[in-house]
């Protein structure tokens, strides 16, 4: 970047400053937390070649970096308020990239009612790499955890599973049934990989009904393993009940189905639901306009999630998608 | 890293989890903010070759990454509570590095009573790069800002200025009076570059007395420019009043003195003090065990900080140290 960083802040980031950011004329931001709310904090990094492709549009990179964090807040039942942005630019990142990146953030700030509280910009040999820390508020004592699920709870997912994985496969020109889809559908799948949809509309239904929840970032099956382990339960998923992208016919092909169930980049919600609250959850989700589907249940015991197809054990060649060696901590 | 990331978390990061981190068995952390406190949030990245040298000990890299953030909180009058860690490991970073890095964090968590709330670990071609977001609490409405200084306010600094710059010059084998210092002093200067001292003990004195404050990360003069600009004031610094590292005789050499006054990596506090509160500030700082010195004053008008030496204008060949193109936003 030939640009002075103060100029970058002045031109592109200052318009993103919200309450408590002091227009970035300070060392730190200030966040007021109402006394009836808890603050939920999360952080996720995205890097070129790991979470996005180097040629992806800068505005979609910005939106993905923000949305993967908002997705974590949604799964905890929290409504987002603000975020911090750490941006490591590559030595050859130009002003046009930064401008488009900031425009992506601006669009999503409006869409999700969040503002930028502060940040740091550095230049490194290899970039860009973006780390966001996001802050959300939840009614005191009502944060939804990964643990808390109990044997007998139903498992639900929002939206469809495998769209992000199919989008990435398309961007990588990998063979599969996604290649046969109409142009519009392929564009939609790629869009789901590049710009996930954080399910914030589902947050109230989760705090009201769920015993446990998490967002699905590394593939449904592996993430279900994590929810079950944190809840000290076993888990069963019936593959035919998992909503897949419309028109994507895996034809019973094990490799394709595995890819969709374990491919990652879904950013949908996986939630455990006590049976007596299932009806209320479906109602609330319906009113919020978020499709949800029952895909299985938690059981007693432990071990890895058992996946069945039409009542028979379905063998998986992998359980989770590894972004480089990315793991949530 | 050959290690599975879940193993890394289990072995090295789980012991750092504090209240609200749920032992990292969740997607996000929970921070309770007492109703009489505001939450101050800040973020800073450090990268190899920019903020530390590739061969620096991993425990000192960890401590620097955390301390530069705690230093921001100190300058705002906030007491640190917790932090989030985003860690981008290099492809060749080994387990011994991670172990030593975590040990550095552990030592500083004890020293500064902070705990790890959550984080994210990824692997990139070039690393390590560390982004920390830190959270501190300050009495409601008492955060100290960069703006707020007024003409006539005295300017104070904590500790000594130029130690970090001299330490970096030593590590880079650069010629200068630092080369003639005794072994012990040179070690101390290098230690100041690698592991800065966040002036948290000064926070109560700042909230009680300062009209404005910031931490000095990019060099005294350039950072004073920022404080003065944010406060819409001019500023004057008398170079002979700036406390320099003991024994470091610049002999009136302009290049050496400039280096010390603009070299960065001080992580001391620069504060503006209304005259009627100077005595109270000096008393409180003394009781807290933090040396402070009056180095100049804010004035009416604007423009760059005027530096004088023995009453004469002192010419600077640079005003601020640029870490790569690092700037605080």
């Amino acid at each position: 970047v030939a640009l002075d960083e103060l100029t970058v802040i002045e031109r592109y980031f200052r318009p993103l400053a919200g309450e408590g950011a002091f227009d970035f004329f300070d060392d730190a931001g200030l966040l007021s937390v109402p006394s009836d709310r808890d603050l939920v904090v999360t952080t996720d990094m995205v890097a070129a070649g790991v979470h996005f492709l180097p040629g992806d549009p800068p505005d979609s990179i910005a939106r993905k970096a923000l949305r993967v964090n908002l997705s974590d807040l949604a799964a905890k039942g929290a409504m987002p308020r603000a975020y911090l942005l750490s941006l490591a630019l590559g030595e050859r990142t130009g002003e046009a990239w930064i401008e488009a990146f900031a425009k992506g953030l601006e669009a999503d700030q409006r869409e999700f009612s969040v503002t930028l509280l502060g940040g740091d910009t550095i230049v490194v040999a290899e970039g860009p790499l973006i780390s966001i820390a996001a802050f959300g508020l939840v009614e005191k004592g009502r944060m939804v955890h990964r643990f808390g699920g109990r044997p007998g709870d139903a498992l639900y997912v929002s939206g469809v599973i495998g769209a992000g994985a199919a989008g990435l496969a398309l961007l990588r020109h990998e063979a599969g049934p996604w290649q046969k889809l109409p142009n519009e559908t392929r564009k939609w799948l790629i869009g789901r990989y590049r710009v996930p949809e954080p399910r914030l509309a589902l947050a109230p239904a989760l705090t009201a009904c769920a015993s446990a929840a998490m967002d699905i970032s590394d593939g449904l099956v592996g993430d279900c393993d994590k929810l079950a382990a944190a809840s000290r339960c076993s888990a069963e998923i019936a593959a035919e009940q998992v909503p897949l992208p419309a028109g994507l016919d895996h034809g019973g092909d094990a490799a394709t189905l595995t890819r969709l169930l374990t491919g990652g980049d879904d950013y949908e919600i996986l939630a455990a639901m006590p049976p007596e609250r299932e009806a209320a959850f479906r109602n609330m989700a319906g009113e919020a306009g978020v499709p949800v589907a029952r895909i299985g249940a938690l059981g007693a015991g432990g071990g890895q999630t058992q996946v069945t197809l039409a009542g028979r054990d379905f063998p998986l060649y992998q359980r989770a998608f590894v972004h480089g060696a990315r793991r949530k901590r």
Side-chain angles (χ1 to χ4, degrees), chain A:
Chain A
V1 276
L3 272 183
D4 178 82
E5 292 293 314
L6 289 176
T7 311
V8 169
I9 294 166
E10 180 65 39
R11 281 192 201 157
Y12 303 113
F13 291 119
R14 190 149 294 148
L16 305 178
E19 196 194 330
F22 310 110
D23 286 330
F24 308 135
F25 285 118
D26 210 334
D27 304 291
L30 185 72
L31 195 63
S32 280
V33 178
S35 58
D36 60 345
R37 290 288 183 278
D38 279 327
L39 183 73
V40 179
V41 301
T42 188
T43 188
D44 258 328
M45 293 178 119
V46 299
V50 186
H51 309 91
F52 57 88
L53 303 177
D56 280 350
D59 66 313
S60 80
I61 295 170
R63 299 170 85 188
K64 185 165 191 174
L66 181 56
R67 286 168 179 230
V68 299
N69 281 284
L70 301 185
S71 177
D72 279 321
L73 295 180
K76 306 293 101 184
M79 294 310 292
R81 169 66 67 95
Y83 68 104
L84 296 171
L85 171 68
S86 288
L87 180 57
L89 296 169
E91 274 163 3
R92 291 184 304 272
T93 310
E95 186 170 358
W97 191 96
I98 299 170
E99 184 177 3
F101 182 85
K103 279 212 187 313
L105 290 178
E106 198 182 4
D108 270 5
Q109 288 194 186
R110 270 200 306 273
E111 181 161 351
F112 300 111
S113 301
V114 293
T115 59
L116 185 55
L117 253 188
D120 190 20
T121 304
I122 67 172
V123 175
V124 294
E126 234 188 302
L129 181 149
I130 302 113
S131 175
I132 282 181
F135 310 118
L137 298 177
V138 66
E139 214 181 308
K140 242 188 191 338
R142 301 306 296 270
M143 175 177 169
V144 181
H145 296 288
R146 242 191 234 180
F147 48 88
R150 305 190 54 177
D153 286 357
L155 289 172
Y156 278 79
V157 292
S158 62
V160 298
I161 298 301
L168 178 59
L170 283 165
L171 283 168
R172 285 180 175 164
H173 307 289
E174 290 177 35
W178 34 78
Q179 298 293 358
K180 287 174 251 162
L181 292 169
N183 208 15
E184 278 310 298
T185 312
R186 281 183 285 146
K187 268 194 192 156
W188 181 81
L189 293 170
I190 288 171
R192 292 288 296 178
Y193 170 74
R194 286 184 170 156
V195 183
E197 190 61 39
R199 294 296 190 180
L200 291 160
L202 207 56
L206 294 172
T207 53
C209 305
S211 56
M214 67 185 295
D215 76 324
I216 306 166
S217 55
D218 295 335
L220 171 63
V221 176
D223 283 349
C224 186
D225 285 349
K226 290 179 208 159
L227 186 146
S231 297
R232 296 170 190 274
C233 288
S234 64
E236 233 188 278
I237 290 175
E240 69 278 9
Q241 291 171 12
V242 177
L244 302 176
L248 195 56
D249 182 12
H250 55 82
D253 175 52
T256 300
L257 186 54
T258 300
R259 181 69 173 268
L260 298 173
L261 296 182
T262 65
D265 283 301
D266 293 299
Y267 299 101
E268 295 291 353
I269 304 290
L270 171 68
M273 213 58 62
E276 68 275 17
R277 293 194 222 132
E278 283 187 73
F281 176 69
R282 284 196 302 259
N283 282 342
M284 289 185 79
E287 277 163 29
V290 181
V292 295
R294 189 188 196 284
I295 60 162
L298 294 177
Q304 292 187 315
T305 304
Q306 201 194 342
V307 180
T308 60
L309 184 62
R312 290 192 189 170
D313 188 50
F314 178 76
L316 297 157
Y317 69 86
Q318 66 172 15
R319 298 191 71 80
F321 180 68
V322 179
H323 296 97
R326 177 172 183 270
R327 280 288 188 287
K328 198 62 199 299
R329 191 177 59 250

